[in-house]
Amino acid sequence: RAVAGDLLVIDIGGATTDVYSVIHPPSPQQREELPAPLNMRPVLEPLAAARTVEGDLGVRWNARAIIEAADAEALGPITTALREYAGRVQSQPAYLPFGAAETGHDVELARLAVLVAVRRHGRPVLPNESPRALGTVAHLIGSGGVLRHTGERGRTSILDAVVADHAGGWPVPYAAQTHVDTAYLLFAAGLVARHDEDLARSIAVQVLETH
């Protein structure tokens, strides 16, 4: 309600990776202006809002499962060092990366978790269903500690992987702007939304100004 265009929000956590999307089917006139195959009308229009919680894709408590899921999706090659790091942080969930190499491992775990989570969110559930219409997403928003505490290069690596995932089996956003909730504002907007929508809106739009 605060911005124009559809949204895709990814929250990378220690135990789960959650994906939220809000999409609005384009009008017939808007559909004609979209590139193929986004201009095809689905048989059934999807629900406007959707949320998926991937309980096996956490960058700490489920780090080994991220590697397993990435292997299943053929997202490799995955180095031995990354596999060992995933085992270490899963056995010590409070572990913080030390140095550039371990920071890079954290970013790569997050990148793989995001790719698998968005694939699961966007793909059709049943064989006769269409993928979720995420091709027209205008804003891709990332949240989570790994995004807040890594640098610009790490954030770009994680979020750009989503819009470049043309082999994932879901329609990749063709013109999305990326943002990171560096100030940790989305949760606050959600908490106050039922009580003061104007305040929630003013908090939420600040996320689009942080990256």
Side-chain angles (χ1 to χ4, degrees), residues 65-89:
I66 293 175
I67 301 297
E68 294 172 3
D71 283 336
E73 293 280 347
L75 293 175
I78 298 174
T79 65
T80 300
L82 181 61
R83 295 176 189 276
E84 292 175 348
Y85 182 77
R88 181 158 64 253
V89 297

Side-chain angles (χ1 to χ4, degrees), residues 47-165:
L47 296 174
R51 174 194 183 201
T52 49
V53 177
E54 305 303 337
D56 63 333
L57 301 178
V59 293
R60 284 297 180 270
W61 282 270
N62 296 307
R64 290 193 191 97
I66 293 175
I67 301 297
E68 294 172 3
D71 283 336
E73 293 280 347
L75 293 175
I78 298 174
T79 65
T80 300
L82 181 61
R83 295 176 189 276
E84 292 175 348
Y85 182 77
R88 181 158 64 253
V89 297
Q90 180 166 320
S91 64
Q92 305 175 59
Y95 187 89
L96 297 177
F98 179 79
E102 291 192 347
T103 298
H105 291 331
D106 252 13
V107 168
E108 182 62 8
L109 281 176
R111 189 186 73 87
L112 294 173
V114 162
L115 279 172
V116 176
V118 176
R119 285 184 174 192
R120 293 176 180 176
H121 183 86
R123 286 171 175 166
V125 177
L126 300 174
N128 62 337
E129 292 181 343
S130 300
R132 189 155 175 78
L134 300 174
T136 55
V137 161
H139 299 283
L140 169 61
I141 303 173
S143 182
V146 65
L147 283 170
R148 285 193 294 274
H149 297 295
T150 193
E152 187 71 20
R153 183 176 180 180
R155 295 170 188 163
T156 299
S157 173
I158 294 168
L159 295 182
D160 280 5
V162 175
V163 297
D165 188 28

Side-chain angles (χ1 to χ4, degrees), residues 1-87:
R1 298 176 189 176
V3 298
D6 298 339
L7 298 174
L8 179 63
V9 180
I10 307 166
D11 185 19
I12 312 164
T16 69
T17 296
D18 310 336
V19 182
Y20 308 78
S21 60
V22 180
I23 57 176
H24 301 87
S27 66
Q29 293 79 10
Q30 291 172 323
R31 193 179 297 278
E32 291 179 359
E33 298 174 358
L34 295 174
L38 300 178
N39 54 7
M40 297 177 62
R41 181 179 177 84
V43 176
L44 296 174
E45 295 289 3
L47 296 174
R51 174 194 183 201
T52 49
V53 177
E54 305 303 337
D56 63 333
L57 301 178
V59 293
R60 284 297 180 270
W61 282 270
N62 296 307
R64 290 193 191 97
I66 293 175
I67 301 297
E68 294 172 3
D71 283 336
E73 293 280 347
L75 293 175
I78 298 174
T79 65
T80 300
L82 181 61
R83 295 176 189 276
E84 292 175 348
Y85 182 77

